[in-house]
Amino acid sequence: MFCKNIENQSPTLRLKRHLFCEYDSTIRPTPSHKIVNNVTMKLIPKILEFDEWNSKMILHSWMTLIWNDAHLTWKPSEFEGINFIHVKSDDIWIPDLSVYNSGDLSFDQTGIPPTTCLVFNSGSVSCVPSVKHISKCVTNFASWPYDTHQCRINFGSWVHSGEEVNFHLDKKAFQMEGYTNNTEWDFKVVNAYKVLKKYKCCPNDTYPMIVYEFSISRHYGIMHTTYITPAVAMMMLTLTVLWLDSRSTERMAVASVNLICHMLCIFDLHWQLPHNGPNPPNILLYYRDSLALAVFALLLTALLRKLQTMSIEVPYWISTTTSFVLNNRAGRFLILTGDESKISTDGILSEENEDNSDIPKTGNKSKESSWRHFAAIIEWLSFFAVVFTYIVILFTLVPPP
C-alpha cells in the first residue's frame, strides 16, 4: 500500500500513518501465528432488564478488554513524546468475544460494538465498550413472590482456540459501583470463573470460556402486601366460618363470601404469575388448597343446617357417639349451650348416685336435640381438622428463611 510522505505534518498524523499505513485489522496481531493473544476482561454492570415471562436477562454493561497488539508499537521519542493515541475499534483488530448462551438468536452478540480504544506505545490496547447481553435464565417461581433466579453469561471466542486467543479474568472480575438499582429486582454477581474445554474434533486445542453467574431476586414488598396478607385473611375467614354456629344465617353468608374471595384471588393470580418454570408457585397451590377448604366449609354448613332439622329416629351409632362425647367434661363444654350444660350435668350426677352408670341416659332428649348435638360434634371435629390441614399446608408450602 502506498502512503504519501507527510514529514511536515503533525506528530499525531505522522504516528497514525506510521501505524496504519499497512495495517490489516483482519489479521491476528502477533509476530508469529504460534503466539497467543491474551485478552483480559472485566464486566461492569449498569442496568438490568429481567423478562420473567420469557426467562431472559438483558444486561447493559461496560466491559473492559485489554490485549497487546504487536503491530501497534512505536518509539515516543520519534513522535515528540506521544505515548498513547485514541483509535476507533473498527480500525484495529479486536477479539471476537461472543456470548455462547444467547437468549435471542436474532441479536448478534459476536465481537464488541463500535467504540474508541486507547493504544499505548508498547502495543497495549484498552477498550471499554458499552455492551448489551441477552441470556436465558433458569427460572423457578415456586417461592413467588420471594423468588430468586439464576442466570449466567458464557463468553468465549467464536472461531479461535485458546492457543490463538486466550481470555482471562481481571483480578477484579466485575465492578458494581456504577450499577443502577432496579426497583423490581435485586441483582448480584455471584461468581466469575474460567473454564477450559476440549472437543473431539480438536483434541489438541483448548477452548476457554469465561462464565459470569448472577442472582436475581424479586423485591417482594408490594407483592407481600397484595397477595400474602389476603392469603392469611382467607385462612382466618375459613376458620371463622367453621367457628360460627351452623344454625346461624351469618355462617352461610360468611361461607359464601369466603368462597367468592378465594375465587377472585386465584383469578387475579392467574394474570400476575408467569406461566413458565418447572414448578407451580406455592402461593397458587396454597390458594388452591384453601379454596378446597372454603368449598368444604360451605358444603358442610349446608349439610349441618339440614341435619339439625331432621325429625327421623336417631341411629344407634349416632346416639352412642353423642352420649360418649357428652359424658366427657370437655365435650359438654364444647357441644352444649349454657342451659343444656346445666341440665345435663345435674342429670348425670343424679344418675351416677343411683347406679354409678358411666353413660348418661338420653331418653328424655328430643330427636331434634340429638341431631343438634351430633351436628355440633361434627362442627368441632371439622374445625380442628381444618386447623391441622392449614398447619400442614403452611409447613409444606412456606419457604424456609
Side-chain angles (χ1 to χ4, degrees):
M1 179 179 179
F2 174 77
C3 298
K4 67 180 182 179
N5 189 356
I6 55 172
E7 292 295 330
N8 297 324
Q9 300 298 326
S10 67
T12 303
L13 183 57
R14 288 191 293 110
L15 175 57
K16 286 197 172 183
R17 184 60 55 86
H18 167 75
L19 295 176
F20 296 105
C21 180
E22 296 182 354
Y23 187 88
D24 190 340
S25 61
T26 63
I27 298 177
R28 198 162 56 85
T30 56
S32 170
H33 71 280
K34 295 183 179 180
I35 298 178
V36 63
N37 281 108
N38 291 298
V39 181
T40 302
M41 60 183 293
K42 179 171 69 173
L43 191 67
I44 309 174
K46 291 296 180 180
I47 300 174
L48 169 72
E49 298 177 46
F50 185 61
D51 184 358
E52 56 184 316
W53 289 85
N54 296 307
S55 300
K56 288 183 182 180
M57 179 189 70
I58 304 173
L59 185 62
H60 301 265
S61 311
W62 290 350
M63 177 176 286
T64 62
L65 296 169
I66 301 175
W67 68 93
N68 195 75
D69 192 324
H71 300 160
L72 298 178
T73 61
W74 71 92
K75 294 180 180 180
S77 60
E78 296 179 357
F79 300 93
E80 298 185 9
I82 297 177
N83 56 14
F84 69 89
I85 58 173
H86 297 90
V87 297
K88 295 294 184 181
S89 59
D90 293 337
D91 297 332
I92 61 176
W93 178 89
I94 58 173
D96 59 333
L97 184 68
S98 304
V99 176
Y100 290 162
N101 60 331
S102 175
D104 188 352
L105 297 180
S106 63
F107 179 68
D108 185 15
Q109 301 190 68
T110 303
I112 63 175
T115 187
T116 299
C117 300
L118 196 62
V119 180
F120 295 89
N121 65 290
S122 62
S124 176
V125 181
S126 177
C127 294
V128 187
S130 177
V131 293
K132 173 184 176 182
H133 295 125
I134 304 175
S135 68
K136 293 292 288 184
C137 299
V138 179
T139 53
N140 186 356
F141 296 96
S143 300
W144 190 97
Y146 310 103
D147 46 324
T148 298
H149 310 284
Q150 307 301 323
C151 303
R152 63 166 55 189
I153 301 179
N154 300 333
F155 294 104
S157 174
W158 190 251
V159 297
H160 295 291
S161 67
E163 285 67 35
E164 296 173 324
V165 178
N166 194 6
F167 288 97
H168 306 274
L169 283 169
D170 187 76
K171 291 182 180 180
K172 190 176 181 182
F174 58 91
Q175 181 178 327
M176 296 295 296
E177 284 77 3
Y179 177 72
T180 302
N181 289 328
N182 189 293
T183 57
E184 185 177 1
W185 302 98
D186 181 34
F187 175 78
K188 295 180 181 179
V189 182
V190 178
N191 198 7
Y193 55 91
K194 180 179 178 179
V195 178
L196 294 177
K197 287 192 174 184
K198 288 189 175 183
Y199 299 95
K200 293 181 179 180
C201 66
C202 315
N204 297 325
D205 296 328
T206 59
Y207 290 87
M209 181 172 64
I210 301 297
V211 179
Y212 281 90
E213 295 182 346
F214 310 97
S215 172
I216 301 177
S217 303
R218 188 188 304 272
H219 294 309
Y220 55 82
I222 296 178
M223 296 296 181
H224 179 90
T225 304
T226 308
Y227 295 100
I228 303 302
T229 303
V232 177
M234 294 298 100
M235 176 180 65
M236 301 306 298
L237 195 59
T238 302
L239 295 178
T240 301
V241 170
L242 297 173
W243 182 275
L244 294 173
D245 190 346
S246 59
R247 293 172 294 178
S248 65
T249 305
E250 292 83 357
R251 172 162 172 168
M252 180 62 73
V254 174
S256 301
V257 171
N258 183 39
L259 180 61
I260 295 174
C261 290
H262 273 83
M263 296 181 68
L264 290 176
C265 287
I266 292 179
F267 181 76
D268 185 44
L269 274 174
H270 168 75
W271 295 107
Q272 296 295 330
L273 293 172
H275 301 160
N276 54 12
N279 303 312
N282 288 339
I283 183 67
L284 189 60
L285 298 180
Y286 170 86
Y287 272 107
R288 178 202 65 185
D289 297 341
S290 187
L291 174 63
L293 294 176
V295 172
F296 168 76
L298 179 61
L299 295 179
L300 180 66
T301 300
L303 175 64
L304 293 179
R305 289 172 66 88
K306 178 65 176 178
L307 191 65
Q308 296 185 69
T309 60
M310 297 180 64
S311 58
I312 62 175
E313 190 68 28
V314 180
Y316 175 75
W317 67 272
I318 292 180
S319 176
T320 304
T321 301
T322 304
S323 298
F324 175 78
V325 174
L326 292 179
N327 192 53
N328 184 280
R329 178 172 298 180
R332 292 195 300 273
F333 175 76
L334 295 175
I335 305 304
L336 301 180
T337 61
D339 294 339
E340 290 177 329
S341 179
K342 183 176 184 305
I343 294 174
S344 175
T345 301
D346 294 342
I348 291 174
L349 293 176
S350 176
E351 292 176 2
E352 285 180 347
N353 291 333
E354 293 178 0
D355 56 9
N356 294 325
S357 175
D358 291 334
I359 302 176
K361 300 184 181 300
T362 58
N364 296 330
K365 294 182 179 180
S366 64
K367 297 177 182 179
E368 293 79 3
S369 178
S370 297
W371 283 114
R372 185 169 66 253
H373 292 161
F374 180 65
I377 294 173
I378 296 177
E379 284 182 357
W380 283 108
L381 289 177
S382 301
F383 176 81
F384 291 121
V386 171
V387 169
F388 177 77
T389 302
Y390 268 119
I391 293 174
V392 172
I393 292 174
L394 292 176
F395 270 103
T396 303
L397 299 181
V398 173

